[in-house]
Amino acid sequence: TASLELTPQLSAAVLQANGTSGQSVAATVDVPTDIQVMQSASVYEAVAKRIPNAPSVGVAEIGTTNVVTVTVRSTDPAVASEAANAYANSYIEIQEKQAVASLNSAEQIVQSHINSVQNQINSTQAQITADPAKSSALGTQLDGEQTALIAFQSQLSSYQFSASLTTGGGQVIGPATVPTKPADPRKVLNVILAVIVGLAVGIALAFLLEYYDESIRTKEDLERETMGLPTLGLIPVVPDWRKASEAYLVSSRSPTSP
């Protein structure tokens, strides 16, 4: 089992901030979504390149924190630890590539805006040079275009700087180590559960047999079955009398003598 701390994606925060006119945007972590990404086919394919036929992964959030456990089960303890680390690292690498790709795409869009505004500025400056009489009106237009150019250039610098700092949205804080004992089966726990279940079944079976047993073994059983008729006599059990075909005399003083 490896421990992975999920961190906010800087790229997402920067893109969102620039999309809201540069307002500050708090970077957050969506743990359930990140867990789904870690268990996705793209991450598995990346792991399979390192470990052929890699076992599946289980990811669980620890409490309400941004830390998750990455667990892999295998009959080979070395493969289990290697795969757990591979899943954590592959997730980070994929997230980092996606973040950089998003920033690069945004850079291209902003650069196209810069080129467009620069062309407008060049055109306006050419008009002012050709007709100085319109410099007052065109000057205001030029100021607006130059302000827009500065804003786009600032946005482009922000994207470029973020791309150089982008991480994969997580860091391994507890790499998986080769386990010294198997997670399953838990022999002691299984034995305890087996004993408890056995006792419960045995007790239930005994009560069931007693409930459906209609044998008459005592005086009370007889009187209950005969609706309260008095008992005239009882034949005692003689443990030494083994052969029913032979007579056996028993006295009250010597109950075991023939």
Side-chain angles (χ1 to χ4, degrees), residues 37-38 40-54 82-83 85-95 97:
V37 173
M38 271 181 270
S40 65
S42 59
V43 174
Y44 176 80
E45 291 172 359
V47 173
K49 292 179 180 179
R50 305 179 184 181
I51 307 173
N53 300 319
E82 183 182 3
N85 291 327
Y87 274 104
N89 291 322
S90 296
Y91 163 79
I92 294 174
E93 292 171 3
I94 290 175
Q95 290 290 83
K97 290 179 181 178

Side-chain angles (χ1 to χ4, degrees), residues 16 24 34 38 43 49 54 81 107 120 124 154 185 189 217 219 223 236 239:
Q16 188 175 357
S24 176
D34 290 338
M38 271 181 270
V43 174
K49 292 179 180 179
S81 62
E107 287 178 28
Q120 294 175 8
T124 302
S154 176
L189 178 61
R217 294 188 177 88
K219 174 185 176 183
E223 292 178 347

Side-chain angles (χ1 to χ4, degrees), residues 163-174:
S164 66
L165 298 178
T166 294
T167 60
Q171 58 179 343
V172 178
I173 58 176

